[in-house]
Amino acid sequence: MDISKLKSAITQEGFLRYFRNTSWLVGEKILRIFAGIVVGAMVARYLGPSKYGLFNYAISFVGVFISLATLGLDSIVVRELIKLEKRKEEILGSAFVMRFLGSFVVLTLLYLSVLLTDNTELESTLILIIGASTIFHCFNTIDFYFQSKVLSKYIVFSSIAAMLVSSIMKLFLIYFEASLVYFAIVVIFESITLSLFLFYFYRKQGNRMKSWKFSWDVSKYLLKDSWPLILSGVVVSMYLKIDQVMIKHMVDDYAVGIYAAAARLSETWYFIPIVITNSLFPAIVNAKKRNDGSYQLRVQRLFDFMVIISLAIAIPVTFLSQFLIEVLYGEDFLAAATILIIQMWTGIFVALGVASSAWLISENLQKIYLLGSILGACINIALNYIFIPTYGVIGAAFTTMFSQVVSILFLELLFKKTRGVLMMKWKSVFVV
């Protein structure tokens, strides 16, 4: 048998497997984009800029703490499931318990936060209701199993089901002219639906959650590698969500609504790099494990693709932003058009950051990722205090872009181990 032909066939089969996996995830996100844009725009029109701003302020307030519930375990658990498949039950069981406890830490912090801040009763109610959805995030541990097995179609089916339930409920609320609190309750039902479907498909594959085992040793091992990601997740959530919290307290609800309208559109795209990276992450880990020369090539191609897809979306939106905002949200939200343009170009650096995090995790350099996140957050918060009072939401959008550029394209010059991958990112930006 021709060994070279056999290797070629195996490589082609592996590529098709990961391509199909990515296609499922991208297809789901495209569907989510359209559903999110249409239903989200209807919700925004119904609530108006001020109430819509208040709703998104509550979501952003919870978002600052949400990484404590996930404990930065996502890529770490997937990596370990690939490396130590025989210990699947211990890894999944330990991750589930850790995330369950993490959700109660988040709820406690949220409760203390609303007591210590000057939020109104309505604002506090919205924050606590949305925060309650984190309890069901522990079932997303099943998601890690499907990622490690390159079976993302089951994640997609579950996500679509949750999205449909959420969308239908929001449309009913609009039709019956429901109050803002009910829209917050929908967030909980979406989390419950996602959990139920993930559980169903996990059982359908012949697996049982009751066979999961909690292990102190495994938990300590996972935390040993994930603690930088926990802190960096908190920091990333902070500087991605803190803008809306600061705008609320430094300007008003109306300004938050304008900023959130643009963010809702841009963030539908921001999820695509995460989907692609999560799908290709097992391929990158396996390439590093094989040490056959394909590792660096796959990382470079990932960076190149991140830039290409970012430009393919940012360029047309630059010319269509005002049209999109007017058609979707109405004249009350027209001020969001300029913010949308800035956020779409920021997406280039967001995408590179997501891909870079996968490389850092595969190299077990989570501490550098943490440092970059802290640097970006500090720059963003400091500049927000300077520019939001003078330039409002436009200032907030530009400070986010600047903080991303510094943390993604300059920080890694400080470390010898990361200068190579930094050059790969610069190559993607300037060659693509």
Side-chain angles (χ1 to χ4, degrees), residues 117-364:
T117 55
D118 59 352
N119 290 313
T120 65
E121 184 178 349
L122 175 59
E123 291 166 353
S124 298
T125 301
L126 293 173
I127 289 169
L128 293 176
I129 291 173
I130 293 170
S133 66
T134 60
I135 295 173
F136 302 96
H137 289 185
C138 55
F139 287 93
N140 289 1
T141 305
I142 299 171
D143 188 320
F144 306 153
Y145 169 78
F146 289 133
Q147 285 185 49
S148 70
K149 293 296 182 181
V150 198
L151 293 172
S152 291
K153 64 180 180 179
Y154 298 114
I155 303 171
V156 169
F157 293 153
S158 303
S159 181
I160 289 175
M163 177 192 66
L164 288 175
V165 169
S166 172
S167 298
I168 291 170
M169 290 181 72
K170 288 174 183 175
L171 293 176
F172 269 105
L173 293 178
I174 293 172
Y175 180 79
F176 289 106
E177 300 182 351
S179 66
L180 187 55
V181 171
Y182 291 99
F183 287 90
I185 294 173
V186 170
V187 177
I188 296 178
F189 277 95
E190 184 172 5
S191 293
I192 293 172
T193 305
L194 178 62
S195 300
L196 289 174
F197 273 89
L198 284 172
F199 176 74
Y200 168 76
F201 287 119
Y202 187 71
R203 283 182 59 88
K204 193 175 180 181
Q205 287 292 297
N207 301 297
R208 295 291 182 269
M209 282 186 66
K210 65 181 180 182
S211 64
W212 289 3
K213 303 172 185 176
F214 175 76
S215 167
W216 279 110
D217 290 335
V218 171
S219 298
K220 287 187 286 186
Y221 175 75
L222 293 175
L223 279 175
K224 178 175 173 288
D225 280 353
S226 70
W227 74 262
L229 296 177
I230 298 173
L231 295 179
S232 60
V234 172
V235 174
V236 168
S237 295
M238 184 177 295
Y239 84 80
L240 287 179
K241 297 297 183 182
I242 200 67
D243 289 352
Q244 294 182 42
V245 176
M246 295 180 74
I247 291 169
K248 162 71 169 65
H249 290 283
M250 299 175 77
V251 189
D252 53 28
D253 291 339
Y254 179 87
V256 179
I258 296 298
Y259 193 89
R264 284 293 177 186
L265 288 179
S266 64
E267 286 175 3
T268 56
W269 136 244
Y270 286 1
F271 283 110
I272 293 178
I274 298 172
V275 167
I276 294 170
T277 302
N278 285 346
S279 182
L280 297 179
F281 183 68
I284 291 172
V285 174
N286 283 325
K288 179 176 174 59
K289 188 165 59 175
R290 288 198 307 269
N291 194 27
D292 60 0
S294 62
Y295 177 56
Q296 298 296 331
L297 180 62
R298 287 185 175 182
V299 174
Q300 182 66 67
R301 285 179 176 173
L302 179 59
F303 287 144
D304 293 346
F305 188 62
M306 291 293 105
V307 175
I308 290 170
I309 197 170
S310 300
L311 291 173
I313 296 174
I315 292 172
V317 171
T318 299
F319 296 100
L320 297 171
S321 61
Q322 187 166 341
F323 171 77
L324 290 171
I325 294 295
E326 187 171 5
V327 168
L328 293 170
Y329 294 103
E331 293 184 359
D332 291 342
F333 287 86
L334 275 178
T338 304
I339 303 164
L340 177 60
I341 294 172
I342 299 168
Q343 290 175 339
M344 294 309 297
W345 285 93
T346 302
I348 297 173
F349 310 107
V350 172
L352 282 173
V354 171
S356 182
S357 69
W359 180 84
L360 289 168
I361 291 169
S362 69
E363 294 287 333
N364 206 26

